[in-house]
Amino acid sequence: MNSLISSANGSMPLHWLFPTPVMQVDLTPDDGIAAAMHQQLEVFDRDVFGDPQFSNRNNLTGDLLGIAGLDQLHRMEAFVWLNHQIAEQVSLYLIDLLGPDHGLEVHIQKAWPVVCSPDGGTIESHTHRNAQLSAVFYVCTEEDPGSGELEFQAPDTYFSHVMAIPFREATVSGGVFAPKQHRLLLFPSDLRHRVLPYEGGVPRYSVSYDLAVTTAPGQGREMLTPHPMDWVPLGGFSST
Ligand SMILES: [Fe+2]
């Protein structure tokens, strides 16, 4: 985004702060890997959408339904390739932001399937407060659907709530990413986002990952989350 905004009067001295790093990259799984991931999403779609308690929804998200294992896709053989791809892209992302000596480690907290039905499926605005980085990979979507975009929204707590200006509308410009088969998006987890209504000939299948960023074991630093190996369960101490 330009740091100075052009206007009819020339350049206005507006400096836009707080850029948001969102990574978008198109991956190229081979046919077998792509088919294995697609098959897992189809199973989820069929088995869970087919359940009467969920059949009237226009979306399904594995982590919300509270069914055991549906937020652990990364442990399945079909998603090992994607785990590696995300590791590679997260490394590039962190190096770009922090330099090669950032000393951080990244962990998969959970990964879950998301289905948007082809007749207007949406995901309402939300953040992933449990994580630091989140990823979305599109397993299957209509080609050029012109719908079902992921829209990132500017934080509305800076000043738009005390000033009657369309700050949010201004900053959301450029924050809409079209779904595309085998496209990966990586973004800060506290960035609010939603899926706009999807229309297509096929369901929109994606997989979401939540990642935790920590120091290396034994390398804790102020204001950074230590590596989980440095943690001790509080309930693990005996009383004697
Ligand atoms: Fe999300």
Side-chain angles (χ1 to χ4, degrees):
M1 185 176 292
N2 292 332
S3 58
L4 292 178
I5 307 302
S6 297
S7 74
N9 299 322
S11 293
M12 291 174 60
L14 285 181
H15 295 260
W16 288 84
L17 303 180
F18 314 123
T20 301
V22 175
M23 173 183 265
Q24 173 182 285
V25 59
D26 293 326
L27 305 181
T28 54
D30 68 31
D31 290 348
I33 289 169
M37 290 189 287
H38 190 260
Q39 184 187 11
Q40 289 301 326
L41 267 291
E42 278 185 328
V43 167
F44 172 71
D45 187 2
R46 184 188 64 229
D47 290 354
V48 182
F49 243 137
D51 188 309
Q53 65 175 316
F54 301 127
S55 59
N56 64 347
R57 294 173 61 98
N58 72 5
N59 70 56
L60 289 174
T61 63
D63 69 330
L64 282 177
L65 298 177
I67 296 175
L70 278 183
D71 65 356
Q72 297 291 307
L73 287 195
H74 54 291
R75 298 178 189 271
M76 300 178 73
E77 181 68 25
F79 296 96
V80 168
W81 175 86
L82 184 55
N83 294 343
H84 285 297
Q85 296 293 313
I86 290 175
E88 193 174 314
Q89 297 302 327
V90 167
S91 176
L92 294 171
Y93 182 96
L94 292 178
I95 289 171
D96 205 23
L97 287 173
L98 302 170
D101 301 322
H102 57 70
L104 299 174
E105 295 197 5
V106 182
H107 314 259
I108 302 173
Q109 286 184 348
K110 54 182 183 173
W112 65 98
V114 177
V115 174
C116 285
S117 70
D119 55 354
T122 62
I123 305 286
E124 290 186 5
S125 179
H126 64 282
T127 63
H128 301 198
R129 285 177 290 181
N130 53 294
Q132 283 82 54
L133 288 174
S134 294
V136 173
F137 177 73
Y138 298 105
V139 173
C140 178
T141 182
E142 180 78 35
E143 194 172 343
D144 298 325
S147 63
E149 297 92 343
L150 189 62
E151 181 191 78
F152 294 105
Q153 299 168 326
D156 57 9
T157 54
Y158 289 150
F159 60 72
S160 63
H161 61 302
V162 294
M163 296 175 67
I165 61 172
F167 174 70
R168 193 167 162 202
E169 285 74 7
T171 52
V172 86
S173 175
V176 176
F177 288 75
K180 183 180 178 191
Q181 187 152 301
H182 303 155
R183 173 166 286 174
L184 177 72
L185 293 172
L186 179 66
F187 56 92
S189 304
D190 58 358
L191 184 59
R192 184 164 288 277
H193 57 282
R194 64 175 175 165
V195 176
L196 301 174
Y198 170 73
E199 306 276 351
V202 295
R204 178 185 179 282
Y205 289 162
S206 59
V207 179
S208 294
Y209 279 62
D210 272 352
L211 307 170
V213 180
T214 75
T215 65
Q219 303 294 315
R221 280 179 281 151
E222 187 181 28
M223 306 303 287
L224 294 176
T225 303
H227 192 282
M229 288 182 66
D230 296 338
W231 301 5
V232 176
L234 187 59
F237 291 100
S238 76
S239 56
T240 56

mmCIF file with all atom_site columns, all heavy atoms in Angstrom, residues 112 126 128 187 193 208, ligand 1:
data_model
loop_
_atom_site.group_PDB
_atom_site.id
_atom_site.type_symbol
_atom_site.label_atom_id
_atom_site.label_alt_id
_atom_site.label_comp_id
_atom_site.label_asym_id
_atom_site.label_entity_id
_atom_site.label_seq_id
_atom_site.pdbx_PDB_ins_code
_atom_site.Cartn_x
_atom_site.Cartn_y
_atom_site.Cartn_z
_atom_site.occupancy
_atom_site.B_iso_or_equiv
_atom_site.pdbx_formal_charge
_atom_site.auth_seq_id
_atom_site.auth_comp_id
_atom_site.auth_asym_id
_atom_site.auth_atom_id
_atom_site.pdbx_PDB_model_num
ATOM   1  N  N   . TRP A 1 112 ? -7.955  -29.075 10.425 1.00 0.00 ? 112 TRP A N   1
ATOM   2  C  CA  . TRP A 1 112 ? -9.313  -29.594 10.329 1.00 0.00 ? 112 TRP A CA  1
ATOM   3  C  C   . TRP A 1 112 ? -9.912  -29.308 8.946  1.00 0.00 ? 112 TRP A C   1
ATOM   4  O  O   . TRP A 1 112 ? -9.515  -28.360 8.276  1.00 0.00 ? 112 TRP A O   1
ATOM   5  C  CB  . TRP A 1 112 ? -10.180 -29.018 11.435 1.00 0.00 ? 112 TRP A CB  1
ATOM   6  C  CG  . TRP A 1 112 ? -10.403 -27.542 11.374 1.00 0.00 ? 112 TRP A CG  1
ATOM   7  C  CD1 . TRP A 1 112 ? -11.474 -26.892 10.857 1.00 0.00 ? 112 TRP A CD1 1
ATOM   8  C  CD2 . TRP A 1 112 ? -9.522  -26.509 11.862 1.00 0.00 ? 112 TRP A CD2 1
ATOM   9  N  NE1 . TRP A 1 112 ? -11.330 -25.535 10.989 1.00 0.00 ? 112 TRP A NE1 1
ATOM   10 C  CE2 . TRP A 1 112 ? -10.135 -25.272 11.607 1.00 0.00 ? 112 TRP A CE2 1
ATOM   11 C  CE3 . TRP A 1 112 ? -8.268  -26.523 12.488 1.00 0.00 ? 112 TRP A CE3 1
ATOM   12 C  CZ2 . TRP A 1 112 ? -9.545  -24.058 11.943 1.00 0.00 ? 112 TRP A CZ2 1
ATOM   13 C  CZ3 . TRP A 1 112 ? -7.682  -25.312 12.830 1.00 0.00 ? 112 TRP A CZ3 1
ATOM   14 C  CH2 . TRP A 1 112 ? -8.320  -24.102 12.566 1.00 0.00 ? 112 TRP A CH2 1
ATOM   15 N  N   . HIS A 1 126 ? -14.486 -14.440 12.163 1.00 0.00 ? 126 HIS A N   1
ATOM   16 C  CA  . HIS A 1 126 ? -13.898 -14.995 13.385 1.00 0.00 ? 126 HIS A CA  1
ATOM   17 C  C   . HIS A 1 126 ? -12.387 -14.807 13.367 1.00 0.00 ? 126 HIS A C   1
ATOM   18 O  O   . HIS A 1 126 ? -11.807 -14.436 12.342 1.00 0.00 ? 126 HIS A O   1
ATOM   19 C  CB  . HIS A 1 126 ? -14.222 -16.493 13.488 1.00 0.00 ? 126 HIS A CB  1
ATOM   20 C  CG  . HIS A 1 126 ? -13.604 -17.313 12.392 1.00 0.00 ? 126 HIS A CG  1
ATOM   21 N  ND1 . HIS A 1 126 ? -14.116 -17.375 11.119 1.00 0.00 ? 126 HIS A ND1 1
ATOM   22 C  CD2 . HIS A 1 126 ? -12.484 -18.069 12.368 1.00 0.00 ? 126 HIS A CD2 1
ATOM   23 C  CE1 . HIS A 1 126 ? -13.371 -18.150 10.367 1.00 0.00 ? 126 HIS A CE1 1
ATOM   24 N  NE2 . HIS A 1 126 ? -12.351 -18.579 11.098 1.00 0.00 ? 126 HIS A NE2 1
ATOM   25 N  N   . HIS A 1 128 ? -8.675  -16.848 15.163 1.00 0.00 ? 128 HIS A N   1
ATOM   26 C  CA  . HIS A 1 128 ? -8.227  -18.096 15.794 1.00 0.00 ? 128 HIS A CA  1
ATOM   27 C  C   . HIS A 1 128 ? -7.363  -17.698 16.995 1.00 0.00 ? 128 HIS A C   1
ATOM   28 O  O   . HIS A 1 128 ? -6.138  -17.610 16.885 1.00 0.00 ? 128 HIS A O   1
ATOM   29 C  CB  . HIS A 1 128 ? -7.412  -18.946 14.821 1.00 0.00 ? 128 HIS A CB  1
ATOM   30 C  CG  . HIS A 1 128 ? -8.148  -19.340 13.585 1.00 0.00 ? 128 HIS A CG  1
ATOM   31 N  ND1 . HIS A 1 128 ? -7.752  -20.378 12.767 1.00 0.00 ? 128 HIS A ND1 1
ATOM   32 C  CD2 . HIS A 1 128 ? -9.278  -18.847 13.000 1.00 0.00 ? 128 HIS A CD2 1
ATOM   33 C  CE1 . HIS A 1 128 ? -8.582  -20.504 11.746 1.00 0.00 ? 128 HIS A CE1 1
ATOM   34 N  NE2 . HIS A 1 128 ? -9.521  -19.569 11.862 1.00 0.00 ? 128 HIS A NE2 1
ATOM   35 N  N   . PHE A 1 187 ? -1.462  -16.614 7.391  1.00 0.00 ? 187 PHE A N   1
ATOM   36 C  CA  . PHE A 1 187 ? -1.764  -15.287 7.921  1.00 0.00 ? 187 PHE A CA  1
ATOM   37 C  C   . PHE A 1 187 ? -1.733  -15.312 9.448  1.00 0.00 ? 187 PHE A C   1
ATOM   38 O  O   . PHE A 1 187 ? -1.860  -16.383 10.070 1.00 0.00 ? 187 PHE A O   1
ATOM   39 C  CB  . PHE A 1 187 ? -3.132  -14.817 7.413  1.00 0.00 ? 187 PHE A CB  1
ATOM   40 C  CG  . PHE A 1 187 ? -4.274  -15.760 7.716  1.00 0.00 ? 187 PHE A CG  1
ATOM   41 C  CD1 . PHE A 1 187 ? -5.030  -15.623 8.868  1.00 0.00 ? 187 PHE A CD1 1
ATOM   42 C  CD2 . PHE A 1 187 ? -4.588  -16.795 6.844  1.00 0.00 ? 187 PHE A CD2 1
ATOM   43 C  CE1 . PHE A 1 187 ? -6.067  -16.486 9.148  1.00 0.00 ? 187 PHE A CE1 1
ATOM   44 C  CE2 . PHE A 1 187 ? -5.636  -17.675 7.116  1.00 0.00 ? 187 PHE A CE2 1
ATOM   45 C  CZ  . PHE A 1 187 ? -6.381  -17.514 8.275  1.00 0.00 ? 187 PHE A CZ  1
ATOM   46 N  N   . HIS A 1 193 ? -11.387 -12.772 9.915  1.00 0.00 ? 193 HIS A N   1
ATOM   47 C  CA  . HIS A 1 193 ? -11.673 -13.169 8.530  1.00 0.00 ? 193 HIS A CA  1
ATOM   48 C  C   . HIS A 1 193 ? -12.999 -13.916 8.460  1.00 0.00 ? 193 HIS A C   1
ATOM   49 O  O   . HIS A 1 193 ? -13.531 -14.374 9.464  1.00 0.00 ? 193 HIS A O   1
ATOM   50 C  CB  . HIS A 1 193 ? -10.529 -14.027 7.962  1.00 0.00 ? 193 HIS A CB  1
ATOM   51 C  CG  . HIS A 1 193 ? -10.235 -15.255 8.771  1.00 0.00 ? 193 HIS A CG  1
ATOM   52 N  ND1 . HIS A 1 193 ? -9.521  -15.225 9.940  1.00 0.00 ? 193 HIS A ND1 1
ATOM   53 C  CD2 . HIS A 1 193 ? -10.575 -16.556 8.590  1.00 0.00 ? 193 HIS A CD2 1
ATOM   54 C  CE1 . HIS A 1 193 ? -9.416  -16.441 10.438 1.00 0.00 ? 193 HIS A CE1 1
ATOM   55 N  NE2 . HIS A 1 193 ? -10.061 -17.274 9.644  1.00 0.00 ? 193 HIS A NE2 1
ATOM   56 N  N   . SER A 1 208 ? -7.817  -26.201 7.227  1.00 0.00 ? 208 SER A N   1
ATOM   57 C  CA  . SER A 1 208 ? -7.229  -25.118 8.018  1.00 0.00 ? 208 SER A CA  1
ATOM   58 C  C   . SER A 1 208 ? -6.221  -25.687 9.005  1.00 0.00 ? 208 SER A C   1
ATOM   59 O  O   . SER A 1 208 ? -6.439  -26.764 9.572  1.00 0.00 ? 208 SER A O   1
ATOM   60 C  CB  . SER A 1 208 ? -8.315  -24.371 8.785  1.00 0.00 ? 208 SER A CB  1
ATOM   61 O  OG  . SER A 1 208 ? -9.182  -23.697 7.898  1.00 0.00 ? 208 SER A OG  1
HETATM 62 FE FE  . FE  B 2 .   ? -10.660 -19.297 10.057 1.00 0.00 ? 1   FE  B FE  1
#
